[in-house]
Amino acid sequence: MNPAELPLDQVLHGDCLEVLPTLPEKSVDLIFADPPYNLQLQQALYRPNQSLVDAVDDDWDQFASFADYDAFTRRWLSACRRLLKDSGTLWVIGSYHNIYRIGSILQDLGFWLLNDIVWIKLNPMPNFRGVRFTNAHETLLWASKSKDARYTFNHHAAKTANDDLQMRSDWVFPLCTGAERLKENGRKLHPTQKPEALLYRILVACSLPGDVVLDPFFGTGTTGAVARRLNRHWIGIEREQSYVTAARQRIAQVTPSLFDDVTMDVRDHKRRQPRIPFGHLLEAGLLQPGQQLYFRARREQAARIHADGSLSLNGTQGSIHRLGSQLLNGTPCNGWLHWYYEDEQGQLRPIDELRQQVLSQKAA
């Protein structure tokens, strides 16, 4: 798809049900959707001091019935599915009012659910009437177009951002407050403006520089602002003129990253290197049949190298990965990082260093 055919980095004023069908098929890498929640508010909400709660009571969140909401949901999700590349993913955020209905329709349309993420709010609005638990979280559904889709997930980037611990599905962020919250005449401009930190995490983990990110319910432009910061293209669709104006002004004030895409590309580059079979180290003379390798640099766990590149230890024989997995009680094992050889000085060094030598020779 030629990016020139897309209205990149623009806010499109209109109803997403009318605008989405005008965009090219399979042209979008990631979709973030924050649709109407259909809160079904029956009356105004007041705090104990009798001040009015600035709740979501706008026309765009009003639906006559669950059936009407489901029909609306099916239409915009179907339109998004047409636009999403086969390698793309979709994120939808909602509350208990709507997220279960959306999840069911996602599956009916053929999407494959990858995760449900719980956004835990540090500063949730209390239940002022005291008749229910405080609603302290929202749910995000992350889905691919099919079960076997090859989608973008920067696992190592998410892990690095989380102090080298695998990112969990419970995310803790405060509500959008302070200078980030857009206001007009002292009141919140948009009742459900999402924090930029939430979108930053999603875009870093699930997109690449230059990708096209679509938000069909753009609101005041959080998705576009974060995408601009991270060197992603964005397209926003919004039907309310006041939000369109605010989003355009907000994004115009965002300074794009001054760094090139290499700096912003957080993919695991080791995993993208050409595959080198372990046997190549023997063919290159970097290791010898009969030589010993040491699992996790422990000399008491010494395996013997066979001429075909397999290892044997305690009567068990297999590849560097399979034998390593057995030593880890079945846990998947990257043998390149777990097996060590003894160099000429008697020091134990990871065999991955030898692999890098082979890769360097091939590159030269």
Side-chain angles (χ1 to χ4, degrees):
M1 173 58 58
N2 183 358
E5 299 178 22
L6 289 168
L8 297 178
D9 309 322
Q10 296 182 42
V11 186
L12 307 180
H13 182 204
D15 190 317
C16 72
L17 296 181
E18 299 173 358
V19 176
L20 289 171
T22 69
L23 300 177
E25 183 180 3
K26 296 184 179 181
S27 59
V28 173
D29 297 284
L30 184 145
I31 297 174
F32 177 83
D34 184 7
Y37 284 12
N38 191 25
L39 295 181
Q40 310 125 42
L41 291 180
Q42 303 299 315
Q43 58 189 8
L45 298 177
Y46 292 90
R47 298 181 178 88
N49 63 4
Q50 296 306 301
S51 61
L52 182 66
V53 175
D54 189 12
V56 182
D57 55 5
D58 304 80
D59 290 341
W60 49 259
D61 195 58
Q62 306 298 317
F63 293 85
S65 65
F66 287 130
D68 284 353
Y69 185 79
D70 290 351
F72 165 75
T73 300
R74 188 175 294 274
R75 285 184 64 190
W76 73 259
L77 279 176
S78 297
C80 283
R81 183 175 175 83
R82 186 186 70 85
L83 296 183
L84 200 61
K85 295 178 181 177
D86 291 340
S87 58
T89 57
L90 167 78
W91 286 80
V92 187
I93 188 170
S95 68
Y96 70 89
H97 301 88
N98 68 329
I99 200 65
Y100 301 107
R101 311 188 75 85
I102 290 175
S104 176
I105 294 171
L106 274 172
Q107 292 180 315
D108 288 345
L109 293 176
F111 285 95
W112 183 259
L113 292 180
L114 299 169
N115 272 117
D116 62 332
I117 303 293
V118 178
W119 167 29
I120 301 172
K121 304 175 183 178
L122 284 174
N123 51 345
M125 181 185 297
N127 184 272
F128 294 109
R129 297 175 61 196
V131 295
R132 302 182 185 180
F133 297 107
T134 295
N135 296 322
H137 77 276
E138 293 185 29
T139 300
L140 299 100
L141 301 179
W142 180 37
S144 61
K145 287 187 70 173
S146 67
K147 180 179 179 181
D148 301 319
R150 297 179 63 86
Y151 54 88
T152 296
F153 178 50
N154 302 315
H155 163 72
H156 288 271
K159 185 176 179 180
T160 299
N162 196 42
D163 288 339
D164 285 333
L165 296 174
Q166 187 173 16
M167 184 75 73
R168 293 166 32 134
S169 61
D170 50 342
W171 297 358
V172 181
F173 294 110
L175 291 168
C176 183
T177 57
E180 186 182 331
R181 168 67 80 171
L182 300 187
K183 293 186 178 181
E184 187 176 51
N185 299 322
R187 295 189 60 187
K188 294 184 293 186
L189 182 59
H190 194 292
T192 64
Q193 182 181 337
K194 297 301 183 288
E196 290 192 8
L198 183 68
L199 271 297
Y200 189 99
R201 180 171 293 183
I202 290 172
L203 294 192
V204 168
C206 302
S207 69
L208 302 171
D211 277 359
V212 178
V213 180
L214 170 69
D215 187 333
F217 306 97
F218 202 54
T220 52
T222 301
T223 301
V226 176
R228 183 172 166 88
R229 284 172 56 195
L230 292 172
N231 289 357
R232 275 70 167 164
H233 290 296
W234 55 272
I235 301 171
I237 304 172
E238 177 52 53
R239 76 177 200 178
E240 303 294 326
Q241 181 61 61
S242 60
Y243 296 159
V244 170
T245 301
R248 288 172 175 164
Q249 293 174 348
R250 173 187 183 182
I251 297 171
Q253 296 174 1
V254 175
T255 302
S257 171
L258 300 178
F259 299 103
D260 57 25
D261 285 350
V262 174
T263 304
M264 305 300 286
D265 188 344
V266 295
R267 287 176 288 182
D268 179 13
H269 294 279
K270 280 191 174 182
R271 294 183 64 183
R272 296 167 58 207
Q273 292 177 337
R275 293 180 63 86
I276 300 295
F278 177 69
H280 281 201
L281 303 188
L282 300 176
E283 295 168 352
L286 298 175
L287 292 174
Q288 302 296 329
Q291 189 174 343
Q292 288 186 318
L293 296 184
Y294 305 92
F295 191 67
R296 289 184 163 181
R298 297 170 182 166
R299 292 189 180 274
E300 65 273 17
Q301 288 188 308
R304 186 76 61 185
I305 304 176
H306 291 249
D308 61 356
S310 63
L311 305 182
S312 62
L313 173 63
N314 297 330
T316 301
Q317 186 170 343
S319 69
I320 57 172
H321 310 298
R322 181 174 298 177
L323 187 58
S325 176
Q326 292 181 4
L327 293 172
L328 291 174
N329 296 317
T331 301
C333 173
N334 183 346
W336 291 108
L337 304 180
H338 286 78
W339 290 102
Y340 287 68
Y341 73 101
E342 186 174 12
D343 66 14
E344 295 178 354
Q345 288 74 42
Q347 299 296 315
L348 296 184
R349 308 184 67 85
I351 60 173
D352 192 49
E353 294 183 359
L354 301 177
R355 177 172 64 161
Q356 298 306 319
Q357 290 185 35
V358 174
L359 287 170
S360 298
Q361 293 169 1
K362 287 181 175 292

